[in-house]
Amino acid sequence: VSHVVDGNRRTLRYGSVELCTKLLADFGKLSYGKRLPDWVLFGDLKWGTAMLRGLWLGDGHMPNGRHEHWNYSTTSPDLAYGVAMILGRHGVPATIRSIKPRTGRDGVQPRPAYEVRVAAAQARSALSALVGVERADGPQSKLYDTTPVVDGSIRRHVQKNQAEHFVGKVYNLW
């Protein structure tokens, strides 16, 4: 394995075609095509915990002081939903925010970004324990949680309801 750091980019090269093929199949390619494999999402919780720690310490933001939320940012919608699923398996309620790209002065429009937010004080405590980071925001004077939990399941508000005509086979993936 060779490891090259060039600015903000890291390149890993493997001497094994089989390992490289497996990693691409499991985790995807490019920043916006990344995903978490089933064995991380639905397998032994220790793998999800290890992945969550690495992801959050790499691209997460846990500001000092009394802030409303901690967040994890990515350009991959699959990765954002995967992180939220792992947090949910740990009982940490999280929301996902989609950030529309703005065209820059150079005329280039970047990809949409996704932010996984953990807002409640108790949830931030649980997250800090999961990723192994000491909480720096101190106690909150008002403790509230706006994420509705019904029968142990996190409920989300419906963002859009639409119907469209479809002809063909329908597969239930759940």
Side-chain angles (χ1 to χ4, degrees):
V1 175
S2 70
H3 179 231
V4 177
V5 178
D6 180 21
N8 289 335
R9 183 182 71 182
R10 292 179 183 265
T11 302
L12 293 174
R13 294 207 168 108
Y14 300 95
S16 167
V17 173
E18 294 83 16
L19 177 60
C20 187
T21 303
K22 175 71 172 154
L23 289 172
L24 283 173
D26 279 355
F27 294 99
K29 182 178 176 180
L30 304 175
S31 62
Y32 54 88
K34 293 286 188 270
R35 63 185 173 275
L36 296 176
D38 289 347
W39 58 268
V40 171
L41 293 174
F42 306 110
D44 192 334
L45 202 52
K46 71 178 180 182
W47 299 116
T49 304
M51 187 65 63
L52 183 65
R53 176 177 166 74
L55 289 169
W56 209 280
L57 292 178
D59 290 326
H61 181 64
M62 295 176 279
N64 293 331
R66 294 181 183 183
H67 290 273
E68 295 176 17
H69 63 271
W70 292 356
N71 60 59
Y72 171 80
S73 300
T74 180
T75 57
S76 168
D78 292 336
L79 193 54
Y81 281 96
V83 168
M85 284 179 65
I86 294 172
L87 287 169
R89 287 186 65 197
H90 283 287
V92 177
T95 58
I96 299 175
R97 179 180 147 209
S98 175
I99 304 167
K100 292 182 181 178
R102 291 184 235 151
T103 304
R105 292 183 187 153
D106 58 0
V108 175
Q109 184 174 7
R111 296 192 175 275
Y114 301 88
E115 183 180 76
V116 180
R117 290 181 167 188
V118 175
Q122 296 91 342
R124 289 195 313 261
S125 291
L127 176 59
S128 68
L130 281 172
V131 298
V133 174
E134 187 176 327
R135 277 188 66 186
D137 62 350
Q140 214 172 323
S141 59
K142 296 180 184 177
L143 297 178
Y144 56 90
D145 190 354
T146 59
T147 305
V149 179
V150 178
D151 297 328
S153 297
I154 299 171
R155 305 294 183 188
R156 302 278 185 242
H157 299 289
V158 175
Q159 295 180 358
K160 186 177 182 182
N161 188 6
Q162 70 181 38
E164 60 184 71
H165 180 69
F166 177 79
V167 177
K169 289 184 178 181
V170 176
Y171 298 93
N172 184 358
L173 301 178
W174 301 106

